[in-house]
Amino acid sequence: MNLAVDDITFGYDSQRNVLEHLSFTYDSPEVLCILGSNGMGKSTLLQCLIGAFQISAGSITVDGIPVGNYKARDFARKVAYIPQSHTPSFAYKVIDIVTMGRTSRIGYLANPSDDDVAFAHEQLDYLGVGHLAEKPYTDISGGERQLVMIASALTQEPEVMILDEPTAHLDFGNAYRFVELVEKLRERNMGVLMTTHFPDHALMLGSRTAVLSGGRIIAEGLAQDVITDESMRELYGIEVHVRRIEDRVICIPGPLRAGQTQSEAAQHGDD
Amino acid sequence: MTEKKHAGFWMTLTGIVLIALPVAFFLFSLALGSYDVGPVDVCQIIWCKFVGQTPPQDALTVNVIWQVRLPRVCAAALVGAGLSVAGAVFQGVFRNPLASPYTLGVSNGAGFGAALAIVLSLGAAGIQLFAVAFGLLAVALTFLIASRSRRNTVTLVLAGMLIGALFSSLVSLLKFTADPLEKLPQIVYWLMGSLSGSSFEALAKILPFYIVCMAAVFLLRWRTNVLSLGDQEAKSFGLNVKRDRALVIGTSSMLTALVVSISGIIGWVGIVVPHLARMLVGPDFRKLIPTSVSIGICYLLVVDDLCRTLTASEIPLGVITGIIGVPLFLYFIYKKKVSW
């Protein structure tokens, strides 16, 4: 699947554009991380990509067809979107939620077949959360809920999964597990396009990375090339050091020596 | 796998109970009343009529069952099932425990239509027709207002409140101007809801549409499930959210308008019964719809039985459903069974 974003502009009102002359392309099954600071329009960009927001200029096409021209059903067969967090209203069983991913693959008035349910079970097992199948979706933790949403997306059999800050609500351990999960999806040839607050995650994945700032993509390339002391300082407005420790490249916010201004380092903690 | 077998057994048992219970209540309600007819006689009369023979019971007994009680009990069953299913769908689509079939203003519209027909002396058929027409007009207006906004469910509920308020003011206006001796009591009585005037003719008029709407709601049950997850998730799963939601809400509103046209405005059934059903089988519409039908039938039959037997004269249905409904709902809240 090819996603082409060409010179788009979007604003919530006519006064101020959140995105301006933004362009990039994406081909599944690659992994693309979009980095950006708070309020820079990462979520807005994703909403434009899935056609939820109408862009005021430019074009977004999936396999050559503008996203606005897609039927929801056809679009769902190519693209799965997973929001930052999902607040459940009803105590559906986890397996029911995952099976809902089949909706775009079955007839308009059809119910999912036993095969569809079995396929949903397979996806839960694949993500290592098969034991959750019969639990109420309302009773599981935020991290588990996200895995369930990813299982639903897999059940959908899309060509790319678009995730909005998937690690934003995860604890330290689960955030790392998520990065491992993306590796796993990559092996399965599932495309992943995600926004993130954490340059480290892009570095761990070694994926293609785009930096969103001032409403446009200011840098694009492999994570280790794009994420540098300078670019991160520019993006987040704090001192950042990118260092290699053994085989890992990590990104350290704030000054490296004690006694220097801590306030700058503290700024990073708000997300 | 024994666990699965176990679950299957309970499912089957629940299924049998959900079918047997409404049938039992149906026959019991037919037997109930000041004119004594035993349940065996009731079955025999219905069977004989069904196969085209003359029942052995005397003509008066046959008439009481066939002409008086049967239409009323049938109406109670249709209204109970219709309101409960519509309520379940509305709560699901709006993701709101207080949503009811009347959320979009159907009842106020229908009330206005009925009051207008009464003032214009259009007769029973006219009242029924006006109730349906204005009930649907109210929903259409609600959709029209909400269509100008993107945030659809919240605006829909707000628009429904506005349209409801508008029509309820218009009803007040009609009541104010209506002849206080003849028309006003009729209007008031209609608005409180009652099944005492039920006839096969009135039922026959709505039945074809009723069946179509019920079937549509049932066929759309999986889609309704997906819609109840929320707009964004439903869209990601491949639903045309606006169209599918309009379809689901439209058919449920039609169903509501139809039953209101034969019963008047009966509150709380469409709120309480779906909650009961959800406690029993969970939120999955594949199970929730049949369960709501079954409980809805039982509930309204029991309430109507109370209405006609509790005192010497009839108590309006809407009064009793309100008196029973509020404490029931409070119980759900305290039990935290209003699951959100």
Side-chain angles (χ1 to χ4, degrees):
Chain A
M1 190 216 70
N2 167 271
L3 170 73
V5 178
D6 186 26
D7 200 25
I8 62 163
T9 297
F10 174 83
Y12 290 97
D13 51 55
S14 49
Q15 313 298 321
R16 199 177 70 94
N17 286 328
V18 182
L19 308 172
E20 226 165 16
H21 303 299
L22 184 149
S23 303
F24 72 92
T25 58
Y26 168 87
D27 288 286
S28 69
E30 71 172 337
V31 175
L32 172 66
C33 292
I34 297 175
L35 276 179
S37 54
N38 277 338
M40 276 299 152
K42 295 191 298 294
S43 299
T44 309
L45 173 60
L46 297 191
Q47 293 290 329
C48 292
L49 296 187
I50 60 168
F53 292 165
Q54 302 292 323
I55 49 174
S56 51
S59 75
I60 301 174
T61 58
V62 166
D63 290 336
I65 302 168
V67 287
N69 292 5
Y70 270 92
K71 283 183 184 165
R73 182 187 176 79
D74 297 332
F75 196 71
R77 292 174 176 211
K78 292 186 187 244
V79 178
Y81 172 74
I82 300 172
Q84 205 172 103
S85 64
H86 175 228
T87 323
S89 301
F90 298 98
Y92 281 105
K93 281 192 291 185
V94 163
I95 186 64
D96 290 338
I97 300 260
V98 178
T99 307
M100 288 187 202
R102 289 311 278 173
T103 305
S104 65
R105 302 271 169 191
I106 61 177
Y108 188 78
L109 296 175
N111 281 326
S113 65
D114 289 348
D115 288 344
D116 291 320
V117 177
F119 188 71
H121 272 293
E122 272 172 39
Q123 309 316 312
L124 279 171
D125 290 339
Y126 173 77
L127 297 177
V129 285
H131 59 282
L132 296 178
E134 297 298 319
K135 285 199 177 160
Y137 184 59
T138 40
D139 286 2
I140 61 177
S141 73
E144 290 172 331
R145 218 172 269 163
Q146 191 184 45
L147 287 171
V148 170
M149 285 318 278
I150 292 171
S152 313
L154 285 173
T155 308
Q156 209 170 318
E157 293 184 286
E159 291 171 50
V160 61
M161 251 184 228
I162 295 182
L163 300 109
D164 191 4
E165 280 169 37
T167 54
H169 295 284
L170 299 185
D171 68 30
F172 194 64
N174 279 328
Y176 176 69
R177 282 190 199 100
F178 177 80
V179 175
E180 285 188 323
L181 170 62
V182 175
E183 289 284 5
K184 213 169 155 185
L185 293 175
R186 176 145 65 181
E187 281 162 26
R188 190 178 156 149
N189 268 338
M190 170 65 64
V192 173
L193 193 165
M194 61 186 245
T195 58
T196 181
H197 277 307
F198 303 102
D200 279 322
H201 295 163
L203 286 167
M204 271 187 246
L205 290 165
S207 64
R208 198 155 79 87
T209 303
V211 180
L212 180 66
S213 181
R216 62 178 75 194
I217 304 285
I218 54 163
E220 201 185 340
L222 285 176
Q224 48 270 42
D225 300 332
V226 171
I227 298 167
T228 61
D229 294 8
E230 296 74 37
S231 70
M232 290 300 104
R233 188 189 316 130
E234 204 176 310
L235 181 61
Y236 294 107
I238 56 164
E239 195 179 334
V240 177
H241 298 275
V242 180
R243 289 286 184 274
R244 174 174 290 277
I245 295 179
E246 311 217 336
D247 290 337
R248 297 278 297 275
V249 178
I250 55 162
C251 207
I252 305 158
L256 289 176
R257 294 188 197 289
Q260 290 178 314
T261 49
Q262 294 293 315
S263 62
E264 286 188 338
Q267 279 179 9
H268 189 69
D270 65 357
D271 48 42
Chain B
M1 280 295 111
T2 47
E3 201 176 313
K4 219 169 193 175
K5 253 185 196 166
H6 209 66
F9 168 74
W10 279 111
M11 284 256 293
T12 318
L13 190 70
T14 315
I16 292 170
V17 171
L18 286 177
I19 293 170
L21 222 52
V23 173
F25 274 115
F26 191 86
L27 295 175
F28 170 76
S29 301
L30 280 174
L32 194 74
S34 51
Y35 188 85
D36 208 25
V37 186
V40 179
D41 291 318
V42 168
C43 294
Q44 198 175 19
I45 291 169
I46 293 175
W47 174 251
C48 289
K49 282 280 187 181
F50 196 66
V51 296
Q53 292 169 352
T54 311
Q57 285 79 7
D58 62 281
L60 181 63
T61 312
V62 173
N63 259 341
V64 164
I65 295 300
W66 195 254
Q67 299 295 339
V68 182
R69 287 188 197 161
L70 192 60
R72 179 165 187 160
V73 169
C74 286
L78 287 181
V79 172
L83 288 178
S84 304
V85 166
V89 169
F90 274 73
Q91 286 172 7
V93 175
F94 289 121
R95 296 156 44 94
N96 185 333
L98 271 176
S100 83
Y102 303 152
T103 300
L104 298 184
V106 190
S107 55
N108 302 89
F112 173 75
L116 189 64
I118 292 169
V119 169
L120 297 175
S121 308
L122 294 182
I127 295 171
Q128 201 183 353
L129 182 68
F130 268 49
V132 174
F134 279 90
L136 292 177
L137 177 71
V139 179
L141 285 175
T142 299
F143 265 96
L144 198 69
I145 291 180
S147 67
R148 296 197 53 84
S149 165
R150 273 195 313 118
R151 303 188 55 196
N152 230 315
T153 43
V154 180
T155 352
L156 257 181
V157 173
L158 285 174
M161 281 174 65
L162 290 177
I163 294 295
L166 173 70
F167 277 105
S168 105
S169 302
L170 291 175
V171 169
S172 299
L173 185 68
L174 281 179
K175 279 180 174 168
F176 183 69
T177 54
D179 168 17
L181 290 177
E182 194 202 339
K183 308 282 188 192
L184 186 58
Q186 264 196 70
I187 296 176
V188 171
Y189 200 66
W190 195 93
L191 292 175
M192 284 194 290
S194 171
L195 294 169
S196 61
S198 305
S199 66
F200 278 134
E201 294 79 62
L203 291 183
K205 278 185 201 123
I206 68 157
L207 199 61
F209 305 104
Y210 182 94
I211 291 171
V212 168
C213 289
M214 256 313 182
V217 170
F218 186 70
L219 286 172
L220 289 162
R221 60 201 185 282
W222 181 255
R223 247 147 230 274
T224 313
N225 270 347
V226 181
L227 273 177
S228 76
L229 281 192
D231 290 8
Q232 204 162 52
E233 288 71 20
K235 184 177 183 294
S236 181
F237 284 150
L239 253 61
N240 182 338
V241 174
K242 268 195 173 162
R243 185 196 61 195
D244 288 349
R245 185 170 48 210
L247 195 60
V248 168
I249 293 176
T251 43
S252 300
S253 297
M254 180 81 182
L255 194 60
T256 311
L258 291 171
V259 299
V260 167
S261 83
I262 55 169
S263 70
I265 298 162
I266 298 170
W268 287 97
V269 177
I271 296 181
V272 170
V273 174
H275 280 290
L276 266 172
R278 214 177 284 117
M279 276 170 75
L280 214 65
V281 296
D284 185 344
F285 279 89
R286 288 173 295 177
K287 295 178 200 155
L288 189 59
I289 290 176
T291 310
S292 295
V293 167
S294 167
I295 300 180
I297 292 173
C298 298
Y299 186 77
L300 212 63
L301 282 173
V302 170
V303 174
D304 189 48
D305 289 346
L306 290 174
C307 286
R308 59 197 171 98
T309 54
L310 221 48
T311 59
S313 64
E314 286 249 350
I315 307 172
L317 245 182
V319 175
I320 301 282
T321 54
I323 291 171
I324 299 177
V326 174
L328 252 178
F329 194 74
L330 277 175
Y331 168 78
F332 296 150
I333 292 173
Y334 288 134
K335 277 279 180 187
K336 296 218 187 304
K337 284 295 185 187
V338 176
S339 64
W340 256 266

